[in-house]
Amino acid sequence: MTVVSIKKDKKHLMRIDCDNGNTFYIDSDLINEISLGVGSCLDSGYVEELLKESDYYRAKSRAFWYLDRMDHTEKALYDKLVKAGFSKESSARVIARFCELDLLDDVKFATRYSERLSEANVSSREIYMKLITKGVPKCIAKDTVDALEVDEYAQIRAVIDKKYKNKLDDKKNVQKVFSALARKGFSFSAVRDVLKAYCEELQYISEE
């Protein structure tokens, strides 16, 4: 088949019309790279390869767009590309290439993200769960959280001062604060010790 026209379609895509009636769409950067033009002769096998390569080019461009807006783990970026309609093969190629270029690094991502959360007084347990949700492998998430230098008592005090200090007016409310802090992932013993700094007696809290 012979290319009879090349026209701009959507952003980064060019419409290729051939003399046999076939029409397909190729990334504009790829067309420039291979110098495809009117009169170029193509066979079906080459067209199939071009379509795969075009998908990779577009996936790579989209991945840069995602990373410009926020950091991603390898898994999160891969999942986003696949969800956006790019093939698993192209998405995996992009992830591999970005790792080679040091644009993706789950260890660095986990370290930066966990440090920000820790500074915001998020508990180590909750940080671990958030890392997993972001796509960080469990082994990296665990090592990252273990490496954090966290003063859990200071974190709990900071959270109480910010959100709960005025709610420690009776035993019922103290129990609610205790439960809320425990749900945030702080250890029962640490929560109890810090609350004792605000309250004279907490015997009504069960020894869990």
Side-chain angles (χ1 to χ4, degrees), residues 121 155-164 181 184 186:
N121 298 309
Q155 286 186 317
I156 295 170
R157 284 194 294 270
V159 174
I160 292 175
D161 286 339
K162 183 177 181 180
K163 297 184 65 175
Y164 302 114
L181 292 169
K184 289 180 178 294
F186 296 112

Side-chain angles (χ1 to χ4, degrees), residues 70-136:
M70 64 180 295
D71 288 339
H72 288 74
T73 59
E74 294 175 28
K75 182 180 184 304
L77 186 58
Y78 172 84
D79 289 345
K80 262 197 161 183
L81 291 173
V82 172
K83 186 176 181 180
F86 301 107
S87 71
K88 292 181 178 180
E89 178 183 353
S90 294
S91 300
R93 283 182 63 191
V94 170
I95 300 305
R97 181 55 178 160
F98 278 26
C99 287
E100 290 176 3
L101 298 173
D102 201 28
L103 296 174
L104 286 174
D105 188 316
D106 283 353
V107 173
K108 291 180 180 178
F109 173 92
T111 299
R112 291 194 298 266
Y113 187 63
S114 62
E115 287 176 348
R116 290 201 302 270
L117 291 177
S118 182
E119 290 172 359
N121 298 309
V122 176
S123 70
S124 295
R125 191 179 305 172
E126 189 171 352
I127 290 174
Y128 174 81
M129 296 307 300
K130 286 181 178 292
L131 288 174
I132 299 300
T133 301
K134 288 289 186 179
V136 176

Side-chain angles (χ1 to χ4, degrees), residues 55-73:
D55 190 66
Y56 167 66
Y57 269 58
R58 293 176 58 237
K60 185 169 60 175
S61 177
R62 180 67 67 86
F64 275 120
W65 187 82
Y66 287 144
L67 287 181
D68 277 345
R69 280 148 184 78
M70 64 180 295
D71 288 339
H72 288 74
T73 59

Side-chain angles (χ1 to χ4, degrees), residues 120-123 126 153-186 191 194-195 197-199 202 204:
N121 298 309
V122 176
S123 70
E126 189 171 352
Y153 291 86
Q155 286 186 317
I156 295 170
R157 284 194 294 270
V159 174
I160 292 175
D161 286 339
K162 183 177 181 180
K163 297 184 65 175
Y164 302 114
K165 189 173 183 178
N166 295 330
K167 298 179 180 180
L168 301 176
D169 52 354
D170 60 40
K171 292 183 178 182
K172 185 177 181 179
N173 284 336
V174 170
Q175 181 63 62
K176 290 181 179 179
V177 172
F178 181 93
S179 299
L181 292 169
R183 286 195 299 271
K184 289 180 178 294
F186 296 112
V191 171
V194 175
L195 281 174
Y198 289 93
C199 307
L202 294 177
Y204 47 85

